[in-house]
């Protein structure tokens, strides 16, 4: 009886623990969808505040169940088709994964399907095991969702390793009070949205997909499947090269369908691939199957238009054997390799025929592969400004290196060989004596007052260069003002400025901005620079910026009028207030008079203002 009582007590305690794992806590559950995706921020905040805390009996949590249901229950969660999908997973604990369910007697594997009831409750927590990492990765990839793991510092190392196994996932450290969750999500979203990564789901080893892109550059494409640092509106082009490396032994795998897609974006390119691994002409009895054929010098079998030579012959038509190989003696494969360290014939860009390289031809007829070992070409030299060897005017590509014309030098023939472009107009020292001429341009020295600037290093930061020198000519030619007369302007000015509406300065082109006030207190601005042949170029603002005209008399009259109006307004206000006050006093007087206790006729102390006296002798008769 004692043991039975003990067992009953333990069961009751366990039942109580599961119903209320802590004071005020909700009973544990696998996953619950509280609210579908919505733009109602107030409701979302309310649901977060009302969310009850729960607990479980061990440290790891069933986060994989939650991720799986949030990913696959697309309609109940509210995922839109044409939208970038982010799933933020926040926790301070580890996770259960496939196999842990066996500890509770659950052996049925996770099926990766949606199991939410009408109330949003996950119904299979006790029916099937947790998902595996590969299952989570598969469903995330199929539904084009980017997972952001926002975890505390104790768990960040675990989830850093986890994100490497979930496509498109990222991780960030959450503060203990979760105050940085918004900044963390924004930071991770910026990383996700500024990057494009191409992937494919080709599963067989016989298919190799290689990606090429120049990302945001204009040069040749390089082998990469990811471009970073993108902004809204940037256009990135990827080229995918699909290569069949070998024919699978299972003929059912000769026809495959796979997708090429950007990670985290619900778009894809479907590739329907059919491998030509078997042809009827490879079977004996076909008209294109001929043993010891004339086409193969009678030393091989003609299959599908190609010779399959016997063991002692080789070559396209089996015309080569050990007696007629020619090439450099002592080199392997009859001289088709550059030296003993080479592992490929003809530099990998040609075919070795009887010890001689036959180089490949390119789709572009102007691109040529040449050399005894096909080691040279005229298209793989350095580019400058998007042009091979800076263009035909600067140099040509010979055997992978630029051969520059006499006036040019540099790896891409983009530097002038002469220093004449570094000499200021009118002569003088190279770079005004304040710099070195490199690649046809001045590199300025650092002076006591700062670095020299300008195309010819003629300007210090504390000086105005040649601005003052050009000021009078700009004034007289553009605005007909200044100290020069029309005749002096015509005779002294050696340049004619061009007019622009707004002055824009391109410092990288060596332009210098000048701005002055003239005698009318108007601001005018202009820039000067030099062309490639050292010709002075001046651009001036078409209209001066003059202060508005001030009408003194109008201002004085306006002030006087304002003072008069203010005085009249004050008088009227005083009159109004006085009238109101008098009327109130009169009304008060009338009220007090009406409420007097004695009438004026009954007041015993009241006396008339006049007195009447009667003459007793007067009889009312007139004289």
């Amino acid at each position: 009886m004692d043991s039975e009582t003990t067992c009953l007590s333990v069961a009751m305690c366990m039942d109580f623990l599961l119903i209320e794992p802590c004071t005020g806590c909700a009973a544990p559950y696998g996953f619950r969808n509280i609210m579908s995706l919505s733009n109602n921020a107030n409701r979302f905040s309310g649901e977060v505040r009302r969310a009850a805390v729960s607990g479980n009996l061990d440290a790891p949590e069933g986060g994989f169940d939650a991720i799986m249901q949030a990913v696959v229950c697309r309609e109940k969660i509210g995922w839109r088709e044409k939208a970038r999908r982010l799933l933020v997973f926040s926790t301070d604990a580890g996770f259960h994964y496939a196999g842990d369910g066996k500890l509770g007697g659950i052996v049925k594997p996770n099926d990766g399907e949606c199991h939410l009831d009408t109330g949003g409750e996950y119904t299979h927590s006790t029916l099937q095991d947790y998902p595996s990492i590969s299952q989570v990765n598969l469903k995330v990839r199929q539904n084009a969702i980017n997972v952001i793991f926002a975890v505390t510092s104790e768990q960040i190392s675990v989830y850093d390793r986890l994100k490497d196994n979930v496509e498109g996932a990222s991780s960030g450290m959450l503060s203990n009070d979760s105050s940085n969750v918004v900044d963390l999500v924004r930071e991770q979203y910026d990383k996700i949205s500024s990057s494009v990564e191409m992937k494919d789901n080709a599963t067989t080893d016989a298919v190799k997909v290689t990606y090429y892109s120049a990302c945001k550059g204009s040069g040749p494409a390089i082998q990469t499947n990811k471009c970073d640092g993108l902004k809204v509106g940037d256009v990135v082009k990827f080229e995918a090269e699909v290569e069949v490396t070998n024919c699978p032994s299972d003929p059912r795998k000769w026809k495959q369908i796979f997708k090429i897609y950007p990670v985290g974006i619900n778009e894809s390119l479907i590739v329907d691939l059919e491998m030509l691994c078997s042809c009827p002409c490879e079977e004996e009895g076909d008209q294109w199957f001929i043993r010891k054929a004339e086409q193969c010098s009678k030393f091989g079998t003609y299959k599908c238009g190609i010779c399959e030579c016997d063991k002692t012959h080789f070559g396209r038509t089996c015309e080569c054997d050990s007696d007629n190989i020619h090439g450099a003696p002592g080199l392997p494969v009859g001289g088709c390799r550059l030296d003993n360290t080479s592992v490929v014939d003809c530099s990998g860009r040609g075919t070795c025929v009887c010890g001689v390289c036959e180089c490949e031809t390119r789709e572009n007829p102007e691109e040529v592969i040449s050399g005894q070992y096909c080691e040279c070409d005229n298209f793989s030299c350095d580019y400058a400004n998007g042009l091979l060897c800076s263009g035909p005017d600067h140099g040509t590509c010979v055997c992978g290196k630029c051969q520059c014309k006499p006036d040019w030098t540099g790896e891409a023939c983009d530097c002038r060989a002469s220093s004449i472009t570094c000499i200021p107009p009118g002569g003088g020292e190279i770079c005004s004596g304040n710099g070195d001429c490199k690649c046809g341009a001045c590199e300025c020295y650092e002076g006591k007052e700062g670095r020299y600037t300008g195309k010819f290093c003629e300007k210090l930061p504390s000086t105005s260069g040649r601005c003052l020198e050009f000021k009078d000519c700009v004034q007289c030619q553009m605005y007909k003002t200044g100290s020069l007369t029309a005749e002096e302007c015509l005779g002294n000015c050696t340049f004619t400025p061009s007019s622009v509406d707004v002055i824009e300065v391109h410092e990288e082109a060596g332009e210098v901005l000048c701005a002055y006030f003239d005698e009318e207190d108007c601001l005018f601005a202009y820039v000067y620079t030099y062309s490639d042949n050292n010709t002075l170029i001046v651009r001036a603002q078409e209209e001066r910026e003059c202060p508005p005209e001030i009408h003194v008399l109008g201002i004085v009259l306006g002030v006087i009028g304002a003072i008069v109006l203010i005085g009249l307004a004050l008088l009227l206000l005083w009159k109004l207030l006085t009238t109101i006050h008098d009327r109130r006093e009169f009304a008060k007087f009338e009220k007090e008079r009406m409420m007097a206790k004695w009438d004026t006729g009954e007041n015993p102390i009241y006396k008339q203002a006049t007195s009447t006296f009667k003459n007793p002798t007067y009889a009312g008769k007139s004289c």
Side-chain angles (χ1 to χ4, degrees):
M1 179 61 72
D2 290 339
S3 61
E4 291 179 0
T5 303
T6 302
C7 292
L8 180 60
S9 300
V10 172
M12 290 175 63
C13 292
M14 183 63 71
D15 186 53
F16 175 75
L17 178 63
L18 291 176
I19 293 175
E20 191 174 4
C22 56
T23 303
C25 294
Y29 55 89
F31 172 70
R32 182 181 299 154
N33 181 31
I34 303 296
M35 174 184 173
S36 298
L37 292 175
S38 170
N39 57 4
N40 190 340
N42 293 330
R43 182 188 170 195
F44 174 79
S45 300
E47 294 292 353
V48 172
R49 286 193 298 268
R50 288 190 295 269
V53 177
S54 182
N56 54 305
L57 298 179
D58 57 358
E61 297 177 342
F64 278 13
D65 276 341
I67 294 176
M68 178 64 73
Q69 295 305 302
V71 169
V72 300
C73 298
R74 298 173 60 170
E75 294 184 1
K76 295 183 178 180
I77 298 299
W79 296 113
R80 288 187 293 135
E81 287 298 324
K82 299 298 181 181
R84 183 179 286 274
R85 303 166 184 169
L86 295 180
L87 178 62
V88 182
F89 180 79
S90 179
T91 183
D92 60 354
F95 49 85
H96 281 295
Y97 53 92
D100 289 355
K102 294 181 180 179
L103 300 175
I106 302 174
V107 297
K108 184 179 180 181
N110 194 284
D111 58 7
E113 300 294 334
C114 179
H115 297 290
L116 297 184
D117 59 16
T118 56
E121 190 89 17
Y122 177 46
T123 59
H124 281 50
S125 292
T126 58
L127 300 179
Q128 61 182 18
D129 199 1
Y130 300 102
S132 65
I133 295 177
S134 60
Q135 279 182 306
V136 172
N137 179 51
L138 175 63
K139 295 302 179 180
V140 166
R141 185 173 69 245
Q142 289 177 347
N143 292 274
I145 292 179
N146 293 105
V147 181
I148 299 176
F149 295 112
V151 299
T152 55
S153 57
E154 295 82 3
Q155 301 295 330
I156 189 64
S157 60
V158 175
Y159 284 89
D160 274 342
R161 293 194 296 271
L162 175 61
K163 72 176 176 60
D164 295 334
N165 295 282
V166 179
E167 188 174 286
S170 59
S171 61
M173 187 181 299
L174 196 66
S175 61
N176 291 331
D177 59 356
S178 301
S179 59
N180 68 328
V181 63
V182 175
D183 293 334
L184 187 150
V185 173
R186 182 184 293 113
E187 178 185 355
Q188 297 301 321
Y189 174 75
D190 290 340
K191 291 180 180 180
I192 293 170
S193 61
S194 63
S195 175
V196 175
E197 183 179 6
M198 301 301 297
K199 289 270 182 105
D200 59 81
N201 59 356
T203 57
T204 178
D205 295 335
V207 179
K208 177 183 178 183
V209 183
T210 308
Y211 301 94
Y212 298 89
S213 178
C215 292
K216 295 190 297 182
S218 58
I222 61 173
Q223 182 175 337
T224 180
N225 69 325
K226 186 176 183 180
C227 291
D228 297 316
L230 305 179
K231 300 186 293 295
V232 175
D234 289 342
V235 177
V236 179
K237 180 186 292 185
F238 284 93
E239 295 181 4
E241 181 183 276
V242 181
E243 179 184 358
V244 177
T245 57
N246 58 77
C247 286
S249 57
D250 186 357
R252 292 176 297 181
K253 296 182 179 181
W254 292 354
K255 186 175 179 60
Q256 297 185 19
I257 297 178
F258 62 92
K259 293 182 179 180
I260 297 176
Y261 58 93
V263 175
I265 300 178
N266 191 24
E267 295 181 2
S268 62
L269 171 67
I270 299 177
V271 180
D272 190 348
L273 176 65
E274 182 178 358
M275 306 179 193
L276 301 179
C277 294
S278 177
C279 298
C281 54
E282 293 180 327
E283 304 295 332
E284 191 166 1
D286 189 87
Q287 61 175 339
W288 297 104
F289 185 96
I290 307 173
R291 294 188 182 276
K292 294 185 178 181
E294 293 287 345
Q295 297 90 330
C296 302
S297 306
K298 295 186 177 182
F299 296 116
T301 302
Y302 192 63
K303 294 182 180 181
C304 301
I306 298 176
C307 289
E308 185 180 277
C309 303
D310 59 26
K311 295 182 180 180
T312 60
H313 292 81
F314 58 94
R316 291 183 179 179
T317 60
C318 305
E319 73 278 14
C320 300
D321 58 20
S322 57
D323 296 330
N324 61 8
I325 294 178
H326 53 86
L331 291 181
V333 198
C336 289
R337 298 182 183 177
L338 186 61
D339 51 41
N340 288 329
T341 61
S342 300
V343 295
V344 293
D345 299 341
C346 304
S347 305
R349 301 195 293 181
T351 303
C352 184
V353 179
C354 293
V356 177
C357 287
E358 292 185 1
C359 301
E360 298 174 352
T361 57
R362 306 271 294 184
E363 292 183 3
N364 186 350
E366 295 182 358
E367 297 180 353
V368 179
I369 300 174
S370 59
Q372 180 179 352
Y373 308 103
C374 303
E375 74 280 10
C376 294
D377 62 63
N378 66 345
F379 55 83
S380 62
C381 295
D382 291 333
Y383 281 73
N385 299 322
L387 298 175
L388 185 68
C389 298
S390 301
D393 295 336
H394 290 211
T396 55
C397 182
V398 178
C399 201
K401 291 186 177 181
C402 290
Q403 288 190 356
C404 303
K405 292 190 176 180
D407 294 337
W408 299 94
T409 184
E411 294 294 331
C413 301
D414 54 343
C415 295
R416 289 188 177 273
S418 172
S419 60
I420 191 172
T421 55
C422 297
I423 300 176
E429 297 183 68
I430 294 176
C431 299
S432 304
N434 301 323
D436 295 326
C437 186
K438 295 183 179 180
C439 199
C442 289
E443 289 189 2
C444 303
Y445 297 147
E446 185 80 23
K448 294 181 179 180
E449 300 180 1
R451 180 175 293 277
Y452 288 89
T453 58
K455 185 175 181 180
F456 304 103
C457 303
E458 75 279 9
K459 179 182 176 183
L460 267 175
S462 59
T463 66
S464 59
R466 303 184 69 185
C467 285
L468 194 59
E469 179 182 343
F470 304 141
K471 174 187 173 185
D472 292 337
C473 289
V474 171
Q475 278 189 276
C476 70
Q477 293 187 70
M478 289 296 299
Y479 315 115
K480 310 302 180 185
T481 62
S483 59
L484 297 180
T485 64
E487 292 77 12
E488 291 174 338
C489 185
L490 185 62
N492 296 336
C493 298
T494 59
F495 65 90
T496 302
S498 59
S499 64
V500 293
D501 293 335
V502 180
I503 289 294
E504 294 181 354
V505 185
H506 305 286
E507 294 183 355
E508 66 276 4
E511 294 185 349
V512 180
L513 174 65
C514 309
Y516 293 98
F517 287 94
D518 61 12
E519 58 275 6
E520 298 176 4
D521 204 23
C522 295
L523 176 66
F524 64 95
Y526 56 93
V527 297
Y528 73 87
T529 185
Y530 302 93
S531 64
D532 292 339
N533 57 1
N534 286 353
T535 301
L536 178 65
I537 300 174
V538 179
R539 300 196 317 275
Q541 189 172 321
E542 184 176 1
E543 298 291 339
R544 298 176 297 168
E545 297 179 10
C546 297
E549 184 179 354
I550 301 175
H551 300 282
V552 178
L553 180 59
I555 294 175
V556 173
L557 294 177
V559 171
I560 294 173
I563 293 173
V564 172
L565 290 175
I566 292 172
L568 291 174
L570 292 175
L571 287 174
L572 291 173
L573 180 61
W574 173 81
K575 180 63 177 175
L576 177 62
L577 295 176
T578 303
T579 302
I580 293 173
H581 180 266
D582 290 345
R583 289 183 177 180
R584 286 182 177 177
E585 290 296 324
F586 181 75
K588 181 178 179 183
F589 168 75
E590 288 290 330
K591 183 178 179 181
E592 290 178 353
R593 189 175 66 84
M594 294 295 294
M595 295 177 64
K597 182 176 181 182
W598 301 100
D599 187 72
T600 56
E602 298 177 356
N603 191 346
I605 65 173
Y606 175 76
K607 292 182 179 182
Q608 289 287 348
T610 59
S611 301
T612 304
F613 299 93
K614 292 183 179 182
N615 188 352
T617 61
Y618 174 68
K621 296 180 180 181
S622 59
C623 295

